[in-house]
Amino acid sequence: VLNLRGFRQAIDLPDHQALMEAVLGAVINFASGHQNNKAVLGECGACEGLLELLDLHVRNQEIIYLTVKALFHICDGNQLNRMKISFSGAADFLMTCLTKYPDEDKMVDFVLGIMIGMGFDKVGQSRLGTVGMCKHVSQLITKYEKTSDYLTVLSVCLVGTLARNSKSNQEKLGLTQIHRLIIPLLQKAVTSAANTSSATTSPTNAATSSGFLSKTISSLRRNSILPPSTTSPPNSPDATMIEALTNANNFAEVSGVATSESEESQSPNVSLSEYIGDFSLAKECCRALYHLTSDNEANRQRVNSSSTNNANVIDTLTAILASNDEAVFNEEVKVWAKKAMEALFTSSQA
């Protein structure tokens, strides 16, 4: 760290580039997968030193790449280091990296990983919203959905961490109409999964998905959770049915989908890989929709009124919950689909 900070401005020094690359490589090796080393490096000022490099060498692509890689490994799974960079202007420097090097996928990978981690904490979440990340993430999704499935998943995951329990960021994301990007991605993921499993799916399963919500409502009636319908056909999702589905416990009991561990109960030192788990575009879209609409009436109405190719988001979530193929949609995906559906049915003004 002394070398990192001592020679950061010595650009006239012979072999300065090689020296900085060697120092950054050492930091990466020390921090990668080692919690104690992450803590020691943070105590020694490595976080501040790396941010200084991002500021001083923004035009040096290789140095910037190694710096964001080192910053990711120091902060991943270490809340104290994440807080340090959030308080020290990391949001501005990382935004500069994204705007200056949008086509450098390896660099964007680590920048998004750092930002997702910053979003776990209120300070980092707020700073990212302040520098305009809520607007810029829409541009990232639009760009990477055409070129990189991996970066698309990370970008959608970032939407979730930006919106989680943040009224301000929810509003900013809602104003960008970001749900108009996420819903088609979710529908695409569901369609792709359905096509993949079509060889082993029976013809009658097509009706299972479309009838899942109606069957859930019928179950609610049989269990006296809902009164008999007098104004609509038994399987019609009228206002009374939707009102009943706002009770999350009743919905979980009838649907049989388990409830996941609350994100708020996770360790503050959760790593990116622990948070994301199995990479799944469908899961991250569901998680993002949940955090966008949870206790936010404006976003809930935006999403509920949106449809793509004559299918709305409820149809798509229903298809996930109705799937019996664990290889297509595992329990974790279904949990977030269920939570998203609950958020969409629940009025924050109730």
Side-chain angles (χ1 to χ4, degrees):
V1 174
L2 290 175
N3 281 321
L4 177 72
R5 306 192 73 174
F7 292 98
R8 65 188 183 281
Q9 297 188 42
I11 57 177
D12 295 328
L13 187 72
D15 299 324
H16 175 263
Q17 176 90 8
L19 171 61
M20 296 310 299
E21 289 180 6
V23 171
L24 288 167
V27 172
I28 293 167
N29 288 336
F30 278 132
S32 181
H34 199 291
Q35 292 300 323
N36 288 341
N37 285 354
K38 292 176 194 284
V40 173
L41 285 165
E43 292 168 1
C44 292
C47 295
E48 295 82 355
L50 291 171
L51 292 180
E52 289 167 359
L53 285 182
L54 289 182
D55 186 26
L56 292 169
H57 298 278
V58 68
R59 296 181 181 179
N60 188 324
Q61 181 177 321
E62 186 59 29
I63 292 295
I64 293 299
Y65 166 68
L66 291 174
T67 301
V68 296
K69 185 175 181 179
L71 196 62
F72 169 79
H73 284 296
I74 284 180
C75 294
D76 188 41
N78 188 292
Q79 184 187 35
L80 184 57
N81 288 347
R82 290 198 307 258
M83 294 288 287
K84 284 182 179 180
I85 68 168
S86 294
F87 276 113
S88 302
D92 289 289
F93 298 138
L94 295 172
M95 269 288 288
T96 300
C97 292
L98 287 179
T99 55
K100 191 170 183 62
Y101 301 106
D103 298 321
E104 298 300 321
D105 288 6
K106 293 191 298 181
M107 186 184 301
V108 173
D109 178 0
F110 287 113
V111 171
L112 290 177
I114 297 168
M115 287 183 164
I116 291 169
M118 289 173 64
F120 296 162
D121 307 303
K122 286 292 184 183
V123 175
Q125 188 184 52
S126 175
R127 297 295 173 88
L128 289 171
T130 300
V131 301
M133 199 59 215
C134 292
K135 181 178 180 179
H136 192 68
V137 72
S138 296
Q139 300 173 26
L140 296 180
I141 294 173
T142 300
K143 175 181 175 59
Y144 296 122
E145 70 171 322
K146 301 180 181 68
T147 61
S148 173
D149 292 340
Y150 180 78
L151 293 180
T152 301
V153 171
L154 287 183
S155 299
V156 176
C157 181
L158 178 58
V159 173
T161 58
L162 284 171
R164 186 175 70 171
N165 298 327
S166 172
K167 297 295 184 184
S168 175
N169 284 353
Q170 280 182 325
E171 180 179 350
K172 292 174 183 176
L173 289 162
L175 291 175
T176 69
Q177 301 290 310
I178 199 167
H179 64 281
R180 295 186 180 277
L181 298 176
I182 294 175
I183 293 173
L185 284 175
L186 178 59
Q187 292 170 340
K188 179 181 177 181
V190 171
T191 301
S192 176
N195 291 338
T196 300
S197 63
S198 61
T200 57
T201 302
S202 66
T204 57
N205 279 352
T208 301
S209 173
S210 62
F212 181 80
L213 184 56
S214 297
K215 290 179 180 179
T216 300
I217 293 167
S218 298
S219 297
L220 289 169
R221 283 208 169 96
R222 286 197 302 271
N223 288 292
S224 300
I225 296 169
L226 260 180
S229 175
T230 57
T231 59
S232 305
N235 291 330
S236 172
D238 58 20
T240 306
M241 301 175 188
I242 293 176
E243 181 181 357
L245 284 175
T246 62
N247 187 316
N249 293 329
N250 290 337
F251 186 75
E253 179 182 349
V254 174
S255 67
V257 177
T259 302
S260 67
E261 179 185 11
S262 169
E263 288 181 337
E264 286 71 19
S265 66
Q266 291 176 331
S267 165
N269 291 318
V270 63
S271 68
L272 178 64
S273 61
E274 291 170 337
Y275 179 79
I276 292 183
D278 294 334
F279 256 70
S280 165
L281 179 59
K283 180 183 69 180
E284 294 307 329
C285 286
C286 291
R287 174 152 48 186
L289 287 173
Y290 167 73
H291 287 306
L292 278 171
T293 58
S294 181
D295 294 324
N296 189 294
E297 186 68 17
N299 283 351
R300 189 182 73 86
Q301 292 183 8
R302 288 187 180 104
V303 173
N304 277 330
S305 63
S306 179
S307 62
T308 305
N309 298 326
N310 296 321
N312 62 33
V313 68
I314 296 298
D315 298 329
T316 308
L317 295 171
T318 298
I320 294 174
L321 292 171
S323 174
N324 294 320
D325 191 344
E326 280 288 317
V328 178
F329 298 117
N330 61 26
E331 193 68 15
E332 193 174 6
V333 178
K334 290 185 177 183
V335 162
W336 284 107
K338 167 187 167 294
K339 289 170 76 72
M341 185 176 283
E342 290 170 358
L344 290 172
F345 276 131
T346 304
S347 172
S348 60
Q349 295 177 351

